Amino acid sequence: ALSLAVQSAAMDSATLDKAAQLRDQALTSDQAYKLLESLTTEVGPRLAGSDKELEAIEWAKTKFREMGFDKVWTEPVKVKQWQRLSESAAVIAPFTQPLQISTLGHSVSTPPGGATGEIAHFATLEALEKASPGEVKDKIVFISNRMHRHKTGSGYGPAVRARGEGASIAGAMGAKALLIRSIGTDSHRLPHTGVLRYDEDKPKIAAAALSNPDADLLERMLERGNPVSLTVNIQTRDKGEVEVANVIGEIQGRTKPDEVVLLGAHLDSWDLGTGAVDDGAGVALTMAAANLIQDSLKQRPYRTIRVVLFAAEEVGLVGAKAYAAAHQDDMDKHIIGAESDFGAGPVWALSAKVGAQALPVIDSMAQLMGALGVVRSDSIASGGPDVGQMVKLGMPAVDLMQDGTDYFDLHHTADDTLDKVDPKALQQNLAAWTVFAYLAAQWPGSFR
Amino acid sequence: ALSLAVQSAAMDSATLDKAAQLRDQALTSDQAYKLLESLTTEVGPRLAGSDKELEAIEWAKTKFREMGFDKVWTEPVKVKQWQRLSESAAVIAPFTQPLQISTLGHSVSTPPGGATGEIAHFATLEALEKASPGEVKDKIVFISNRMHRHKTGSGYGPAVRARGEGASIAGAMGAKALLIRSIGTDSHRLPHTGVLRYDEDKPKIAAAALSNPDADLLERMLERGNPVSLTVNIQTRDKGEVEVANVIGEIQGRTKPDEVVLLGAHLDSWDLGTGAVDDGAGVALTMAAANLIQDSLKQRPYRTIRVVLFAAEEVGLVGAKAYAAAHQDDMDKHIIGAESDFGAGPVWALSAKVGAQALPVIDSMAQLMGALGVVRSDSIASGGPDVGQMVKLGMPAVDLMQDGTDYFDLHHTADDTLDKVDPKALQQNLAAWTVFAYLAAQWPGSFR
Ligand SMILES: [Zn+2]
Ligand SMILES: [Zn+2]
Ligand SMILES: [Zn+2]
Ligand SMILES: [Zn+2]
């Protein structure tokens, strides 16, 4: 931690005091929870490209306006209208049992009567890649790799390749369908969906995730040494492209309105739950943080605070890529950004990707967040999936790193609902976000 | 606790030593877990009256024979062949959201296109009973009462009336369908099914349980003060009566083969999970306890140990009632009984319903179970749902009381799967059951 002398070189003490006041006010604010309650109750699931995403966009515009944001607008984004119609699976030999599956986003359908075949079992995607086509042809591939639990979510990256790439790899080898163990850390009969990516030059096969207990069951059956056969019926629909939108609300800067502090989250969710932790919490937090600053101060901060609710994050960062493309010419006016898209667990660390001259400001932020249990991390901030698209274009960023120990219990399942959010943790998040947004908007220097 | 002098008046020390040896052997036995793994993997869900219940009966007969039980037989039981076909529900106004429901056992269907109507909301079944028909007619009744968590499961009784009786009460008032908050303590999107009972002289309406998060959602919508409308489509089938069976395996007594110590559990389960905690654990424990005694001793105990795996417990104790009727003339030869049907949590107390002269034996059992963390409870044993039918006819009983704190998180849901069972807790149960069964079979006195 820096000495107070160094800090005051970076930030004047009146600003720091004000930030501390905002932080403490956030700890008693129910605004983020109320926004989240409204979004999950009145809109609910908001699949990218669905009518429900359009409904969420209207919800967000209305809320921004009701809260008195200075500017509210949308920026159009095109996305595929993919829909889950039905899904079922069952073991048919040597035993008979139904299986709980969720189709992966953008999956094609099986034939109308389903796909039936023996399991070709692989412990990992890497093992599948090394298999000979003869082991896979006309079979139903099952990848049983289990995601590991970690505060930082570090188990996700290694496991999720099976979801993203598995279908094309198995399809190229002649498989009839792909089943993966859910990319998730819980042990409930609620499979984890998520998008897959097809190679356009490879055969497309239907793909779904099994809940962890169902994947355990298949493994136990396979351990007995005899072939295990399944039937899988997945029906989906692709209705072509539709226009959705990023929704943007701004608190305009008093002296530097063209300089933007960007707070990001994504408004779309998967269709199974109500998107409370992914990413309703981020939507609610970022909206409430900007609004708290606006409502609590006599004057606007120097810089503009812009909340961007990205469209269609779940199916390939579609809204964020569109925003980055639309704003590449004014990216230099994007002073710094951050994203909340890792659930509703408490913030425990602050990391940054900023120029050396701005480090004392980041340290000041961390010191003010210390009362919230936040430590200064020396890892390099990524900006998160959406805001990271702007970081690629040179925008500085911080990560308000959340405790994600339980995040992947809920992630992309039907269980992602409001009851999973601790209102106290949401207040702690709001407090940290308020400190970040206010100091970034008020400090006159460059973060680049 | 009694002094050793009093104990030895009841039981000779060689028998007590042998019981302690059996107990300690049980703590390292994987037999109960292996049986449970086999039942949940190779059979899985085994709904009363279904082909899967018949499959489970074959499984049990085969296992009893493989383990070398002295006698294995079945006793026929008639049960209704009810099936869940499909179920869906959604809020259609003022918001639109899908709801997770599970049809209650023995529910009739809605009309083919579903039932649509406004919610008539009642906090409890008692509130519904006090309503005027005008508040209910042509509506969809929603009872939102929440079950409370308790080690003994004491929250179940008060809450479960809504499931058993709600449909006929609402039907008599002209409701189109009934939705209840799940009778369960978890907060997952996995509704809890269970049987309902129709009054034959009242209109029959379809009924289902909402998961707890879905019930919360409806409550939040209703709190906004405007009418909330739903559509509910439930399709079921009743294929008439079918013959299933209680499966019975015996270790025959050396000197008093006609005197029976009865160990009970139920072999059927609901169709959603694989019936691991309800009641696969009980099935596995009772089979394994008798088998451990048989395999570990040079000679059989004096009395017969009879394991009865009851049919169709879930739909009205059908197998247990049939057993009680078939055996009422030899009930005096049923020396004492116990049932395991409260999951796979550890045994924490032993209660009894026996004559005063037998209390020292029960105290000896409790003392031997003390090493397992079991205390002597002075509550009166019920015998459990199935074995309780024989207790009504005068059979003495003990309850090996399990910690059911988490039982109603899983009870009658898709989440009732093997991963929820702690193998160590199963061994602790097995140890307690072995002590009970051995001492009851070896003590020469009467428990009546
Ligand atoms: Zn997200
Ligand atoms: Zn996501
Ligand atoms: Zn039971
Ligand atoms: Zn039950």
Side-chain angles (χ1 to χ4, degrees), chain A residues 62-110:
Chain A
T62 304
K63 290 290 175 190
F64 273 135
R65 287 188 185 122
E66 284 174 3
M67 289 190 283
F69 274 60
D70 297 321
K71 270 184 78 180
V72 180
W73 75 99
T74 58
E75 299 185 354
V77 175
K78 284 228 187 318
V79 65
K80 178 153 127 156
Q81 256 182 306
W82 174 90
Q83 275 185 303
R84 174 194 319 273
L85 298 178
S86 65
E87 57 207 4
S88 64
V91 183
I92 54 171
F95 314 113
T96 60
Q97 288 214 36
L99 297 170
Q100 300 283 341
I101 63 168
S102 284
T103 304
L104 299 184
H106 290 184
S107 173
V108 297
S109 301
T110 59

Short mmCIF file of all heavy atoms in Angstrom, two decimals, chain A residues 62-110:
data_model
loop_
_atom_site.label_atom_id
_atom_site.label_comp_id
_atom_site.label_asym_id
_atom_site.label_seq_id
_atom_site.Cartn_x
_atom_site.Cartn_y
_atom_site.Cartn_z
N THR A 62 -36.12 1.99 -20.36
CA THR A 62 -37.08 2.57 -19.42
C THR A 62 -36.42 2.85 -18.07
O THR A 62 -36.61 3.94 -17.50
CB THR A 62 -38.28 1.62 -19.24
OG1 THR A 62 -38.83 1.35 -20.53
CG2 THR A 62 -39.33 2.19 -18.32
N LYS A 63 -35.65 1.91 -17.57
CA LYS A 63 -35.00 2.10 -16.26
C LYS A 63 -33.99 3.24 -16.30
O LYS A 63 -33.94 4.08 -15.39
CB LYS A 63 -34.30 0.81 -15.81
CG LYS A 63 -35.24 -0.30 -15.43
CD LYS A 63 -35.98 0.00 -14.12
CE LYS A 63 -37.01 -1.08 -13.81
NZ LYS A 63 -37.91 -0.72 -12.71
N PHE A 64 -33.18 3.28 -17.36
CA PHE A 64 -32.20 4.39 -17.49
C PHE A 64 -32.94 5.73 -17.44
O PHE A 64 -32.51 6.67 -16.77
CB PHE A 64 -31.44 4.28 -18.81
CG PHE A 64 -30.20 3.39 -18.79
CD1 PHE A 64 -29.98 2.48 -19.82
CD2 PHE A 64 -29.26 3.51 -17.79
CE1 PHE A 64 -28.83 1.69 -19.84
CE2 PHE A 64 -28.10 2.73 -17.80
CZ PHE A 64 -27.88 1.80 -18.82
N ARG A 65 -34.05 5.80 -18.17
CA ARG A 65 -34.80 7.06 -18.23
C ARG A 65 -35.42 7.39 -16.88
O ARG A 65 -35.36 8.52 -16.42
CB ARG A 65 -35.87 6.99 -19.32
CG ARG A 65 -35.26 7.05 -20.72
CD ARG A 65 -36.30 7.18 -21.82
NE ARG A 65 -35.64 7.11 -23.12
CZ ARG A 65 -35.92 6.21 -24.07
NH1 ARG A 65 -36.88 5.31 -23.89
NH2 ARG A 65 -35.25 6.23 -25.22
N GLU A 66 -36.03 6.38 -16.26
CA GLU A 66 -36.65 6.61 -14.95
C GLU A 66 -35.63 7.07 -13.91
O GLU A 66 -35.96 7.86 -13.02
CB GLU A 66 -37.32 5.32 -14.45
CG GLU A 66 -38.63 4.99 -15.12
CD GLU A 66 -39.18 3.62 -14.68
OE1 GLU A 66 -38.58 2.96 -13.81
OE2 GLU A 66 -40.23 3.23 -15.24
N MET A 67 -34.42 6.57 -14.04
CA MET A 67 -33.38 6.97 -13.07
C MET A 67 -32.79 8.33 -13.40
O MET A 67 -31.97 8.84 -12.65
CB MET A 67 -32.28 5.90 -13.03
CG MET A 67 -32.74 4.61 -12.37
SD MET A 67 -31.36 3.45 -12.06
CE MET A 67 -31.09 2.82 -13.69
N GLY A 68 -33.17 8.89 -14.53
CA GLY A 68 -32.71 10.24 -14.87
C GLY A 68 -31.33 10.30 -15.48
O GLY A 68 -30.62 11.31 -15.34
N PHE A 69 -30.90 9.24 -16.16
CA PHE A 69 -29.62 9.30 -16.86
C PHE A 69 -29.69 10.43 -17.89
O PHE A 69 -30.74 10.72 -18.46
CB PHE A 69 -29.32 7.96 -17.55
CG PHE A 69 -28.63 6.96 -16.64
CD1 PHE A 69 -29.25 6.53 -15.47
CD2 PHE A 69 -27.36 6.48 -16.93
CE1 PHE A 69 -28.61 5.62 -14.62
CE2 PHE A 69 -26.73 5.57 -16.09
CZ PHE A 69 -27.34 5.14 -14.94
N ASP A 70 -28.56 11.09 -18.13
CA ASP A 70 -28.55 12.27 -19.01
C ASP A 70 -28.82 11.91 -20.47
O ASP A 70 -29.45 12.66 -21.20
CB ASP A 70 -27.20 12.98 -18.91
CG ASP A 70 -26.94 13.50 -17.50
OD1 ASP A 70 -27.91 13.99 -16.87
OD2 ASP A 70 -25.81 13.37 -17.02
N LYS A 71 -28.28 10.78 -20.87
CA LYS A 71 -28.48 10.34 -22.26
C LYS A 71 -28.74 8.84 -22.26
O LYS A 71 -28.06 8.10 -21.55
CB LYS A 71 -27.22 10.62 -23.11
CG LYS A 71 -27.17 11.98 -23.78
CD LYS A 71 -25.94 12.11 -24.67
CE LYS A 71 -26.06 11.39 -26.01
NZ LYS A 71 -24.80 11.56 -26.82
N VAL A 72 -29.70 8.44 -23.04
CA VAL A 72 -30.02 7.02 -23.16
C VAL A 72 -30.20 6.72 -24.64
O VAL A 72 -30.97 7.42 -25.31
CB VAL A 72 -31.33 6.68 -22.41
CG1 VAL A 72 -31.66 5.19 -22.53
CG2 VAL A 72 -31.25 7.11 -20.95
N TRP A 73 -29.49 5.74 -25.15
CA TRP A 73 -29.68 5.38 -26.55
C TRP A 73 -29.31 3.92 -26.79
O TRP A 73 -28.78 3.26 -25.90
CB TRP A 73 -28.89 6.31 -27.47
CG TRP A 73 -27.40 6.11 -27.53
CD1 TRP A 73 -26.70 5.44 -28.49
CD2 TRP A 73 -26.41 6.62 -26.62
NE1 TRP A 73 -25.35 5.48 -28.23
CE2 TRP A 73 -25.14 6.20 -27.08
CE3 TRP A 73 -26.46 7.39 -25.45
CZ2 TRP A 73 -23.95 6.52 -26.43
CZ3 TRP A 73 -25.28 7.70 -24.80
CH2 TRP A 73 -24.04 7.27 -25.29
N THR A 74 -29.65 3.45 -27.97
CA THR A 74 -29.28 2.09 -28.34
C THR A 74 -28.43 2.13 -29.60
O THR A 74 -28.53 3.06 -30.40
CB THR A 74 -30.52 1.20 -28.60
OG1 THR A 74 -31.30 1.80 -29.64
CG2 THR A 74 -31.38 1.06 -27.36
N GLU A 75 -27.61 1.13 -29.76
CA GLU A 75 -26.80 0.97 -30.96
C GLU A 75 -27.07 -0.42 -31.52
O GLU A 75 -26.91 -1.40 -30.80
CB GLU A 75 -25.32 1.17 -30.63
CG GLU A 75 -25.05 2.58 -30.09
CD GLU A 75 -23.56 2.89 -29.87
OE1 GLU A 75 -22.72 1.99 -30.02
OE2 GLU A 75 -23.27 4.06 -29.54
N PRO A 76 -27.48 -0.51 -32.78
CA PRO A 76 -27.97 -1.79 -33.31
C PRO A 76 -26.88 -2.84 -33.48
O PRO A 76 -25.73 -2.53 -33.73
CB PRO A 76 -28.55 -1.39 -34.67
CG PRO A 76 -27.84 -0.13 -35.05
CD PRO A 76 -27.52 0.59 -33.77
N VAL A 77 -27.32 -4.08 -33.31
CA VAL A 77 -26.45 -5.24 -33.39
C VAL A 77 -27.24 -6.35 -34.08
O VAL A 77 -28.41 -6.53 -33.78
CB VAL A 77 -26.09 -5.72 -31.96
CG1 VAL A 77 -25.28 -7.01 -32.01
CG2 VAL A 77 -25.37 -4.64 -31.17
N LYS A 78 -26.60 -7.05 -35.01
CA LYS A 78 -27.28 -8.16 -35.68
C LYS A 78 -26.86 -9.48 -35.04
O LYS A 78 -25.68 -9.73 -34.83
CB LYS A 78 -26.91 -8.18 -37.17
CG LYS A 78 -27.60 -7.12 -37.99
CD LYS A 78 -28.18 -7.76 -39.25
CE LYS A 78 -28.75 -6.75 -40.23
NZ LYS A 78 -29.52 -5.67 -39.63
N VAL A 79 -27.83 -10.34 -34.81
CA VAL A 79 -27.52 -11.63 -34.19
C VAL A 79 -28.47 -12.70 -34.73
O VAL A 79 -29.59 -12.41 -35.13
CB VAL A 79 -27.59 -11.53 -32.64
CG1 VAL A 79 -29.00 -11.23 -32.17
CG2 VAL A 79 -27.07 -12.79 -31.97
N LYS A 80 -27.97 -13.93 -34.71
CA LYS A 80 -28.72 -15.10 -35.15
C LYS A 80 -29.84 -15.39 -34.15
O LYS A 80 -29.64 -15.33 -32.94
CB LYS A 80 -27.71 -16.25 -35.16
CG LYS A 80 -28.20 -17.58 -35.53
CD LYS A 80 -27.02 -18.34 -36.10
CE LYS A 80 -26.74 -19.68 -35.50
NZ LYS A 80 -26.00 -20.51 -36.48
N GLN A 81 -31.00 -15.72 -34.70
CA GLN A 81 -32.15 -16.09 -33.86
C GLN A 81 -32.22 -17.60 -33.73
O GLN A 81 -32.94 -18.27 -34.48
CB GLN A 81 -33.44 -15.64 -34.57
CG GLN A 81 -34.09 -14.42 -34.05
CD GLN A 81 -35.36 -14.14 -34.84
OE1 GLN A 81 -35.32 -14.06 -36.08
NE2 GLN A 81 -36.48 -14.02 -34.16
N TRP A 82 -31.49 -18.11 -32.78
CA TRP A 82 -31.46 -19.56 -32.58
C TRP A 82 -32.40 -19.93 -31.43
O TRP A 82 -32.50 -19.19 -30.46
CB TRP A 82 -30.04 -20.01 -32.25
CG TRP A 82 -29.92 -21.46 -31.89
CD1 TRP A 82 -29.69 -22.49 -32.73
CD2 TRP A 82 -30.00 -22.03 -30.56
NE1 TRP A 82 -29.63 -23.68 -32.03
CE2 TRP A 82 -29.82 -23.42 -30.70
CE3 TRP A 82 -30.22 -21.49 -29.29
CZ2 TRP A 82 -29.85 -24.29 -29.60
CZ3 TRP A 82 -30.26 -22.35 -28.20
CH2 TRP A 82 -30.07 -23.74 -28.37
N GLN A 83 -33.08 -21.06 -31.54
CA GLN A 83 -34.02 -21.47 -30.50
C GLN A 83 -33.89 -22.94 -30.17
O GLN A 83 -33.80 -23.78 -31.07
CB GLN A 83 -35.46 -21.29 -30.98
CG GLN A 83 -36.05 -19.94 -30.82
CD GLN A 83 -37.51 -20.00 -31.24
OE1 GLN A 83 -37.81 -20.38 -32.37
NE2 GLN A 83 -38.40 -19.63 -30.34
N ARG A 84 -33.96 -23.24 -28.90
CA ARG A 84 -34.09 -24.61 -28.41
C ARG A 84 -35.56 -25.00 -28.54
O ARG A 84 -36.44 -24.30 -28.05
CB ARG A 84 -33.69 -24.59 -26.95
CG ARG A 84 -33.85 -25.84 -26.15
CD ARG A 84 -33.73 -25.52 -24.63
NE ARG A 84 -32.68 -24.57 -24.34
CZ ARG A 84 -31.41 -24.90 -24.14
NH1 ARG A 84 -31.05 -26.15 -24.14
NH2 ARG A 84 -30.51 -23.96 -23.90
N LEU A 85 -35.86 -26.11 -29.20
CA LEU A 85 -37.26 -26.56 -29.28
C LEU A 85 -37.52 -27.70 -28.31
O LEU A 85 -38.43 -27.63 -27.50
CB LEU A 85 -37.60 -26.98 -30.71
CG LEU A 85 -37.49 -25.85 -31.75
CD1 LEU A 85 -37.81 -26.39 -33.14
CD2 LEU A 85 -38.40 -24.68 -31.41
N SER A 86 -36.74 -28.76 -28.40
CA SER A 86 -36.93 -29.88 -27.48
C SER A 86 -35.62 -30.65 -27.38
O SER A 86 -34.75 -30.55 -28.25
CB SER A 86 -38.04 -30.80 -27.97
OG SER A 86 -37.65 -31.41 -29.19
N GLU A 87 -35.49 -31.41 -26.31
CA GLU A 87 -34.27 -32.17 -26.07
C GLU A 87 -34.59 -33.31 -25.13
O GLU A 87 -35.32 -33.13 -24.16
CB GLU A 87 -33.18 -31.26 -25.46
CG GLU A 87 -33.61 -30.59 -24.18
CD GLU A 87 -32.91 -29.26 -23.89
OE1 GLU A 87 -32.13 -28.77 -24.72
OE2 GLU A 87 -33.19 -28.70 -22.81
N SER A 88 -34.09 -34.48 -25.46
CA SER A 88 -34.25 -35.62 -24.57
C SER A 88 -33.15 -36.62 -24.89
O SER A 88 -32.62 -36.64 -26.00
CB SER A 88 -35.63 -36.27 -24.74
OG SER A 88 -35.74 -36.81 -26.03
N ALA A 89 -32.82 -37.41 -23.89
CA ALA A 89 -31.80 -38.44 -24.08
C ALA A 89 -32.06 -39.55 -23.09
O ALA A 89 -32.64 -39.32 -22.03
CB ALA A 89 -30.40 -37.85 -23.86
N ALA A 90 -31.66 -40.74 -23.47
CA ALA A 90 -31.84 -41.89 -22.57
C ALA A 90 -30.81 -42.95 -22.90
O ALA A 90 -30.41 -43.10 -24.06
CB ALA A 90 -33.24 -42.47 -22.72
N VAL A 91 -30.39 -43.65 -21.87
CA VAL A 91 -29.61 -44.87 -22.05
C VAL A 91 -30.59 -45.96 -22.46
O VAL A 91 -31.65 -46.12 -21.83
CB VAL A 91 -28.90 -45.28 -20.75
CG1 VAL A 91 -28.04 -46.52 -20.99
CG2 VAL A 91 -28.07 -44.14 -20.19
N ILE A 92 -30.24 -46.71 -23.51
CA ILE A 92 -31.16 -47.79 -23.94
C ILE A 92 -30.55 -49.18 -23.77
O ILE A 92 -31.28 -50.17 -23.81
CB ILE A 92 -31.64 -47.58 -25.40
CG1 ILE A 92 -30.45 -47.42 -26.36
CG2 ILE A 92 -32.54 -46.35 -25.49
CD1 ILE A 92 -30.86 -47.43 -27.84
N ALA A 93 -29.24 -49.26 -23.57
CA ALA A 93 -28.61 -50.56 -23.31
C ALA A 93 -27.24 -50.32 -22.67
O ALA A 93 -26.59 -49.33 -23.00
CB ALA A 93 -28.44 -51.35 -24.62
N PRO A 94 -26.77 -51.18 -21.78
CA PRO A 94 -27.40 -52.41 -21.30
C PRO A 94 -28.46 -52.16 -20.22
O PRO A 94 -29.11 -53.11 -19.80
CB PRO A 94 -26.22 -53.19 -20.70
CG PRO A 94 -25.30 -52.12 -20.22
CD PRO A 94 -25.45 -50.97 -21.16
N PHE A 95 -28.61 -50.93 -19.81
CA PHE A 95 -29.64 -50.56 -18.84
C PHE A 95 -30.54 -49.52 -19.51
O PHE A 95 -30.24 -49.07 -20.62
CB PHE A 95 -28.98 -49.97 -17.58
CG PHE A 95 -27.81 -50.78 -17.08
CD1 PHE A 95 -26.51 -50.26 -17.11
CD2 PHE A 95 -28.00 -52.08 -16.62
CE1 PHE A 95 -25.43 -51.02 -16.68
CE2 PHE A 95 -26.92 -52.84 -16.19
CZ PHE A 95 -25.63 -52.31 -16.22
N THR A 96 -31.62 -49.16 -18.85
CA THR A 96 -32.48 -48.10 -19.41
C THR A 96 -32.68 -47.02 -18.36
O THR A 96 -33.15 -47.30 -17.27
CB THR A 96 -33.85 -48.65 -19.84
OG1 THR A 96 -34.51 -49.20 -18.69
CG2 THR A 96 -33.73 -49.72 -20.91
N GLN A 97 -32.28 -45.81 -18.70
CA GLN A 97 -32.49 -44.68 -17.80
C GLN A 97 -32.59 -43.40 -18.63
O GLN A 97 -31.84 -43.22 -19.59
CB GLN A 97 -31.31 -44.52 -16.83
CG GLN A 97 -31.23 -45.57 -15.75
CD GLN A 97 -30.71 -45.01 -14.43
OE1 GLN A 97 -31.00 -43.87 -14.07
NE2 GLN A 97 -29.93 -45.81 -13.73
N PRO A 98 -33.48 -42.50 -18.23
CA PRO A 98 -33.51 -41.18 -18.87
C PRO A 98 -32.31 -40.36 -18.41
O PRO A 98 -31.77 -40.58 -17.33
CB PRO A 98 -34.81 -40.56 -18.34
CG PRO A 98 -35.04 -41.22 -17.02
CD PRO A 98 -34.47 -42.62 -17.14
N LEU A 99 -31.89 -39.43 -19.25
CA LEU A 99 -30.77 -38.54 -18.93
C LEU A 99 -31.22 -37.10 -19.03
O LEU A 99 -32.05 -36.76 -19.88
CB LEU A 99 -29.61 -38.77 -19.91
CG LEU A 99 -28.96 -40.15 -19.90
CD1 LEU A 99 -28.01 -40.30 -21.10
CD2 LEU A 99 -28.21 -40.39 -18.60
N GLN A 100 -30.69 -36.25 -18.17
CA GLN A 100 -30.99 -34.82 -18.21
C GLN A 100 -29.95 -34.12 -19.08
O GLN A 100 -28.77 -34.11 -18.72
CB GLN A 100 -30.94 -34.22 -16.80
CG GLN A 100 -31.91 -34.84 -15.82
CD GLN A 100 -33.34 -34.35 -16.02
OE1 GLN A 100 -33.56 -33.31 -16.63
NE2 GLN A 100 -34.29 -35.10 -15.52
N ILE A 101 -30.39 -33.52 -20.17
CA ILE A 101 -29.46 -32.80 -21.05
C ILE A 101 -29.98 -31.38 -21.33
O ILE A 101 -31.18 -31.12 -21.20
CB ILE A 101 -29.24 -33.51 -22.40
CG1 ILE A 101 -30.55 -33.62 -23.21
CG2 ILE A 101 -28.62 -34.89 -22.19
CD1 ILE A 101 -30.32 -34.04 -24.66
N SER A 102 -29.05 -30.50 -21.69
CA SER A 102 -29.41 -29.20 -22.26
C SER A 102 -28.64 -29.03 -23.55
O SER A 102 -27.40 -29.17 -23.58
CB SER A 102 -29.03 -28.05 -21.32
OG SER A 102 -29.93 -27.96 -20.27
N THR A 103 -29.35 -28.72 -24.59
CA THR A 103 -28.74 -28.49 -25.88
C THR A 103 -27.77 -27.30 -25.79
O THR A 103 -28.06 -26.31 -25.11
CB THR A 103 -29.84 -28.19 -26.91
OG1 THR A 103 -30.75 -29.28 -26.89
CG2 THR A 103 -29.28 -28.01 -28.31
N LEU A 104 -26.65 -27.41 -26.47
CA LEU A 104 -25.71 -26.29 -26.51
C LEU A 104 -26.21 -25.23 -27.49
O LEU A 104 -26.82 -25.56 -28.51
CB LEU A 104 -24.31 -26.78 -26.92
CG LEU A 104 -23.69 -27.82 -25.98
CD1 LEU A 104 -22.27 -28.16 -26.44
CD2 LEU A 104 -23.66 -27.34 -24.53
N GLY A 105 -25.94 -23.99 -27.18
CA GLY A 105 -26.38 -22.89 -28.01
C GLY A 105 -25.83 -22.99 -29.42
O GLY A 105 -24.65 -23.27 -29.61
N HIS A 106 -26.72 -22.79 -30.42
CA HIS A 106 -26.40 -22.84 -31.85
C HIS A 106 -26.27 -24.26 -32.37
O HIS A 106 -25.91 -24.45 -33.55
CB HIS A 106 -25.16 -22.00 -32.20
CG HIS A 106 -25.42 -20.52 -32.09
ND1 HIS A 106 -24.50 -19.56 -32.43
CD2 HIS A 106 -26.51 -19.83 -31.65
CE1 HIS A 106 -25.01 -18.35 -32.21
NE2 HIS A 106 -26.22 -18.51 -31.73
N SER A 107 -26.60 -25.25 -31.53
CA SER A 107 -26.57 -26.64 -32.02
C SER A 107 -27.59 -26.82 -33.13
O SER A 107 -28.69 -26.26 -33.08
CB SER A 107 -26.89 -27.61 -30.89
OG SER A 107 -27.03 -28.94 -31.39
N VAL A 108 -27.25 -27.64 -34.10
CA VAL A 108 -28.22 -28.12 -35.09
C VAL A 108 -29.09 -29.20 -34.43
O VAL A 108 -28.84 -29.57 -33.28
CB VAL A 108 -27.52 -28.69 -36.34
CG1 VAL A 108 -26.71 -27.60 -37.05
CG2 VAL A 108 -26.62 -29.88 -35.98
N SER A 109 -30.07 -29.68 -35.16
CA SER A 109 -30.94 -30.75 -34.67
C SER A 109 -30.34 -32.12 -35.01
O SER A 109 -29.55 -32.26 -35.95
CB SER A 109 -32.32 -30.66 -35.34
OG SER A 109 -32.92 -29.42 -35.07
N THR A 110 -30.77 -33.13 -34.27
CA THR A 110 -30.57 -34.51 -34.72
C THR A 110 -31.62 -34.78 -35.79
O THR A 110 -32.54 -33.97 -35.98
CB THR A 110 -30.78 -35.50 -33.56
OG1 THR A 110 -32.10 -35.34 -33.06
CG2 THR A 110 -29.77 -35.29 -32.43
#
